[in-house]
């Protein structure tokens, strides 16, 4: 069995705070993996380590079969992944085409290929009529679509998405879902974090749940459905039942 992502004992500390605690992840290639957890559980920190933006305190990371903690392999692997970070990290004073061209060239794609893919991506994301605008002027949903276009332009083998559906309207959400399904159908692996459990339940084939930095559940969506809903599995895994009985006194009188 080959894994797109495999970690052993992955840990990240910030002073006395352990944000990610001995995480053992195994994500098979060609899967749509949903990485879930409450706010502050360690999801974004994990993605930053997996994508090379943050060094782990201890542990190992293998991406697409290579140890990315060795300098000789890190650059090669980064050419094969796409990332939509939580904060998007767009360049405000570029147009969408300029941004995508910059990203494509950073991946060392030939300029004719970049131009062709730029046009296709702008059309697919319904951004072709917004070319005179700087990304500074874009709505939140438009920025999300542009960030995903940038992550897709290199035709990655592995796609990391940190809350891609947050603040996105229903139409844009459907476009993004369709694109991601096509990515998986052609053999790519998608690693997704999201608080929208309905979307995760529709899209993902595998799920993992992290709470207080620890992996508390990992299994297939088939296993989740056999025991109930994803929401029920998630709440049980993170110990959310204890909050269900809590009430506000002034709403009970």
């Amino acid at each position: 069995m080959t894994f797109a992502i495999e970690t052993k004992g992955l840990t990240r500390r910030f002073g006395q705070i352990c944000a990610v605690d001995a995480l053992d992840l195994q994500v098979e290639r060609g899967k749509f993996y949903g990485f879930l957890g409450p706010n502050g559980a360690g999801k974004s920190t994990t993605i930053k380590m997996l994508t090379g933006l943050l060094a782990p305190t201890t542990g190992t990371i293998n991406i697409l079969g290579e140890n990315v903690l060795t300098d000789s392999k890190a650059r090669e692997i980064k050419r094969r992944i796409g990332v939509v970070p939580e904060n998007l990290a767009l360049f405000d004073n570029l147009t969408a085409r300029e941004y995508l061209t910059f990203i494509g060239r950073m991946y060392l794609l030939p300029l004719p290929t970049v131009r062709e893919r730029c046009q296709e991506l702008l059309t697919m994301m319904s951004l072709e009529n917004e070319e005179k605008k700087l990304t500074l002027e874009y709505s939140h949903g438009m920025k999300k679509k542009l960030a995903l276009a940038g992550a897709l332009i290199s035709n990655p083998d592995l796609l990391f998405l940190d809350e891609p559906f947050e603040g996105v309207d229903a139409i844009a959400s459907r476009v993004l879902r369709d694109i991601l399904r096509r990515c998986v159908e052609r053999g790519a692996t998608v690693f997704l974090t999201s608080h929208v459990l309905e979307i995760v339940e529709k899209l993902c084939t595998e799920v993992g749940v992290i709470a207080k930095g620890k992996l508390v559940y990992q299994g297939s969506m088939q296993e989740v459905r056999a025991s109930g809903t994803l929401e029920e599995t998630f709440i049980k895994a993170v110990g959310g039942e204890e909050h269900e009985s809590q009430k506000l006194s002034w709403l009970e009188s």
Side-chain angles (χ1 to χ4, degrees), residues 12-83:
R12 176 65 199 199
R13 292 183 176 275
F14 297 94
Q16 298 299 312
I17 299 173
C18 188
V20 176
D21 188 1
L23 197 66
D24 292 339
L25 276 177
Q26 289 184 329
V27 180
E28 293 179 43
R29 297 196 187 199
K31 298 295 185 180
F32 204 132
Y33 190 93
F35 191 53
L36 312 177
N39 291 327
K43 302 185 299 299
S44 294
T45 300
T46 299
I47 284 188
K48 287 177 182 176
M49 288 191 287
L50 296 178
T51 56
L53 296 176
L54 188 65
T57 304
T58 58
T60 63
I61 303 173
N62 284 288
I63 301 293
L64 300 172
E66 301 288 354
N67 181 357
V68 296
L69 298 181
T70 61
D71 292 338
S72 61
K73 296 296 182 181
R75 184 176 297 180
E76 175 188 336
I77 290 301
K78 286 178 181 179
R79 290 176 182 167
R80 298 173 60 191
I81 68 175
V83 184

Side-chain angles (χ1 to χ4, degrees), residues 73-116:
K73 296 296 182 181
R75 184 176 297 180
E76 175 188 336
I77 290 301
K78 286 178 181 179
R79 290 176 182 167
R80 298 173 60 191
I81 68 175
V83 184
V84 177
E86 185 180 26
N87 61 2
L88 299 183
L90 301 176
F91 297 103
D92 289 342
N93 292 318
L94 296 181
T95 65
R97 187 176 295 275
E98 289 170 341
Y99 172 76
L100 293 179
T101 300
F102 172 77
I103 296 298
R105 296 298 284 161
M106 286 290 289
Y107 276 101
L108 304 180
L109 297 176
L111 190 55
T113 301
V114 171
R115 288 170 176 162
E116 180 182 351

Side-chain angles (χ1 to χ4, degrees), residues 143-154:
K143 289 180 179 180
K144 287 277 187 179
K145 290 194 289 185
L146 180 57
L148 181 58
L152 291 172
I153 196 168
S154 65

Side-chain angles (χ1 to χ4, degrees), residues 154 157 241:
S154 65
D157 295 318
E241 299 100 328

